[in-house]
Structure formats: structure tokens, C-alpha cells
Amino acid sequence: MQNLEKYSVELEGIDIRFNEPLSQYTYTKVGGAADFLVFPRNRYELARIVKLANRENIPWLVLGNSSNIIVRDGGIRGFVIMFDKLNNVTVDGYTIEAEAGANLTQTTRIALHHSLTGFEFACGIPGSVGGAVFMNAGAYGGEIGHVLVSCKVLTPEGEIKNLDARDMRFGYRHSLIQETGDIVISAKFGLAPGVHQNIHQEMERLTYLRELKQPLEYPSCGSVFKRPLGHFAGQLISEAGLKGYRIGGVEVSEKHAGFMINVDHGTASDYEKLIAHVIKTVKEHSGVTLEREVRIIGEA
Ligand SMILES: Cc1cc2nc3c(=O)[nH]c(=O)nc-3n(C[C@H](O)[C@H](O)[C@H](O)COP(=O)(O)OP(=O)(O)OC[C@H]3O[C@@H](n4cnc5c(N)ncnc54)[C@H](O)[C@@H]3O)c2cc1C
């Protein structure tokens, strides 16, 4: 681990935690420590961290709510940047502007509060706004690309840019940000006026469906695999006889075979082994190659 003492003036005022275990932040409850976990309060602090890291060749990466990643047990070298303190949400007419660290579910509740429709689909996705834009998160027929108007990013070179949604190359769980390495700072969503009671009912309905079908009572990273063309990952895994299959403390959920749940102090290594086993077994059984949706980062 590098010593940051010599940069204390440059990093003054920024909330930095050293050798911080990431398992307490990740949805899977696995993952080693980050050398330096930082919580910028605004885009200027963020820019200072990225500038310093680039100049000194210290690796850095950003995390949102860590609901779509597995951090390996060896942890992450350099800076891990989290946006918990950049979470302001404002409403102007039919537009909601949310900072990257805003909770997506809470943002949909703010839309409800203002009787704005279009965001109901996202009401149970446990990501941050930044992570949701990066992933083009979606559910029940909706996706971020349908409601995004524009977003503000910090480029890896330290420049702030405004990106129009039409230029975001949204696809299934894909956005331009995955190609450029930009950091999403904030996003603007365009919604429509609706009827409060109808929006509320739809959100309740989708929440009910989620609770019915997903093992939300356990740590997980949501659907581990992307939906293969013409198939459902959960169904293929189930047909391969893998429901309940366990390696270490991680198990293929009985309730939804597309989820892998941490049932007993599982590790990232358990997750990786189970993912590899499921891919191999499903390929042998159905000929379909499953592709991971969840991202695996850090050192083994
Ligand atoms: C129980 C459960 C249910 C889920 N249901 C759904 C669902 O219905 N639909 C769906 O699409 N997903 C679902 N997910 C997955 C996950 O919630 C989404 O992919 C979400 O968008 C990830 O956001 P995050 O903030 O947690 O991102 P993280 O997991 O923290 O990060 C994911 C990726 O985004 C990048 N990233 C994060 N923030 C930023 C930023 N500000 N700028 C640039 N890059 C950034 C990270 O570097 C990383 O590569 C579910 C997960 C769980 C655990």
C-alpha cells in the first residue's frame, strides 16, 4: 500500500479511509480491502482525487452501491471512489436531476412524490444513479436509456462534459460509459405528469413481483448472468439441475436460479468458482454460453 502522507495538502478535507474492508459495502457481503476508500463531497474533490491519482500513477476506480459487482478477496489497490456524499436530487417541472450517489429506488420515490411517471420500472433496483446509467439498468420493460435526458461526466483526463442521452449508445446492460471510462457525476431524467395513485399502485405491484420471485432476504448481486438471446438464464440453470448447488458459502438460489446468494460467510472465491461451474454445466446441458452481467474486480 502506497503512503499518501506526502499528498496530505492536496487531499486536505477529503474523507479517506485506509485499508478499508469492502465487504461491509458490497451487496454480496464479500470482498477484500481497498487501499484508500474515498468519499468526495462534490465534483471538485472528485477531480482533485482523479488528478492526483493520474499524475502519481495510482490506480483508481469508482463504485456506486456495489450491487452489481464482486470484489475479489485480495481487495483493490489504489483509490476506490464512492459517491455516498454526492447524492442530491432536485426536481424541476417534469425533470429530475440526481447526483451519481443518489439511491435509484429513492429517486423513483421522489418521482412518485411529485406525481411523475416513467420511473416506476426502477423502483426495486438497488443501485446508485451513476451505476444505473453505467449499466443501463432495467426491469419490467423499462430501462435507464428510456428516461435519461443527459448526464454530466468527468473524463479520465479530468474534463467535465455534458453527454446527451442520444449519444450514450445504450444497449442491453450497456452504455457508452463502459467504453470511455468516464465517471458519471449526475444525471437528468425526463418524466411525464401522472396520477399519484396509479404510479403508487404500479410501484407496489412491481415490488410485490420482486419479493415473490427474488431471494431478497440474502446477500447477492442480483442476476449473475445476462439474458441469453431466446432464453432465460435462470431457467437454463434450473434445467441443468443447479438450483441449490453450493460451493463454500455461496449457493444458486432455490427461489430464482439466476441469483447466487451468500448463505454462510461465502467469499469472492466461492462466487467465482460457482459462476465457472454454472457456466460449464449449462453449456454442457443446453449448449448455451452464459455471459456474466455482474462485474468482478480486484485481486484474487
Ligand atoms: C437484489 C438485486 C436486484 C437487482 N435487480 C436488478 C434489476 O432488476 N435490473 C438491473 O438492471 N439490475 C439489477 N440489479 C443489479 C444492480 O442493482 C444494477 O446493475 C445497478 O445499476 C448497479 O448500480 P450500482 O450503483 O450498485 O453499481 P456498482 O455495482 O457499484 O457498479 C457497477 C459498475 O458501474 C460502475 N459505476 C458505478 N458508479 C459509477 C459512476 N458514478 N460513474 C461511472 N461508473 C460507475 C462501476 O465502476 C462498476 O463497473 C440487482 C441487484 C441486486 C443485488
Side-chain angles (χ1 to χ4, degrees):
M1 187 164 81
Q2 279 151 303
N3 188 348
L4 286 188
E5 239 167 58
K6 57 182 171 170
Y7 312 118
S8 58
V9 174
E10 270 173 278
L11 294 172
E12 202 182 344
I14 298 178
D15 180 354
I16 304 186
R17 303 178 197 177
F18 297 87
N19 202 21
E20 179 81 347
L22 290 172
S23 53
Q24 54 186 319
Y25 299 91
T26 57
Y27 257 79
T28 53
K29 299 287 168 227
V30 304
D35 283 351
F36 319 117
L37 178 61
V38 285
F39 295 93
R41 278 173 305 183
N42 49 51
R43 65 170 133 137
Y44 305 104
E45 286 193 352
L46 173 65
R48 273 161 61 198
I49 296 160
V50 171
K51 192 170 156 205
L52 168 78
N54 286 346
R55 193 191 67 220
E56 300 298 326
N57 278 325
I58 304 173
W60 58 268
L61 61 80
V62 296
L63 286 180
N65 270 359
S66 307
S67 63
N68 198 47
I69 48 125
I70 293 168
V71 175
R72 287 200 175 101
D73 300 316
I76 300 181
R77 304 291 70 82
F79 288 105
V80 172
I81 304 168
M82 281 189 184
F83 294 100
D84 298 39
K85 294 185 176 173
L86 252 175
N87 59 8
N88 197 34
V89 180
T90 54
V91 181
D92 182 8
Y94 306 147
T95 305
I96 292 189
E97 183 159 15
E99 288 185 316
N103 181 296
L104 191 63
T105 300
Q106 268 162 25
T107 308
T108 66
R109 299 212 73 85
I110 292 172
L112 166 68
H113 183 73
H114 289 265
S115 299
L116 294 174
T117 184
F119 227 162
E120 294 87 332
F121 74 89
C123 68
I125 302 177
S128 65
V129 162
V133 172
F134 179 95
M135 290 301 298
N136 188 20
Y140 304 110
E143 59 182 45
I144 288 295
H146 295 165
V147 285
L148 190 82
V149 175
S150 62
C151 66
K152 203 169 274 166
V153 298
L154 179 75
T155 67
E157 297 75 37
E159 193 194 339
I160 301 240
K161 282 205 304 199
N162 220 33
L163 300 178
D164 192 288
R166 283 169 298 197
D167 301 325
M168 289 288 289
R169 292 198 207 131
F170 282 124
Y172 175 59
R173 301 296 169 266
H174 183 268
S175 74
L176 175 74
I177 309 293
Q178 294 174 20
E179 299 165 29
T180 57
D182 289 347
I183 301 175
V184 177
I185 300 173
S186 64
K188 246 184 211 177
F189 302 103
L191 304 171
V195 178
H196 187 276
Q197 197 192 349
N198 296 351
I199 300 167
H200 187 246
Q201 265 175 11
E202 179 63 357
M203 286 168 73
E204 294 275 293
R205 186 180 75 83
L206 298 182
T207 304
Y208 170 76
L209 286 180
R210 247 176 218 280
E211 286 170 356
L212 194 69
K213 293 188 176 159
Q214 299 182 358
L216 301 179
E217 60 280 25
Y218 289 101
S220 79
C221 47
S223 297
V224 175
F225 301 103
K226 292 184 179 173
R227 197 176 52 239
L229 209 61
H231 301 275
F232 291 102
Q235 195 180 349
L236 293 174
I237 296 166
S238 176
E239 285 167 3
L242 289 166
K243 267 192 173 178
Y245 189 89
R246 190 197 280 206
I247 292 184
V250 181
E251 170 176 308
V252 174
S253 164
E254 295 269 5
K255 195 169 177 183
H256 186 321
F259 280 56
M260 291 181 183
I261 52 180
N262 184 352
V263 286
D264 186 15
H265 305 94
T267 62
S269 163
D270 296 340
Y271 263 102
E272 284 196 87
K273 286 180 197 152
L274 188 56
I275 289 170
H277 180 76
V278 167
I279 291 175
K280 181 171 163 286
T281 312
V282 167
K283 176 79 181 166
E284 285 164 4
H285 189 265
S286 64
V288 178
T289 305
L290 291 176
E291 192 191 334
R292 259 196 293 112
E293 175 174 326
V294 67
R295 306 172 82 84
I296 300 179
I297 54 175
E299 293 184 359

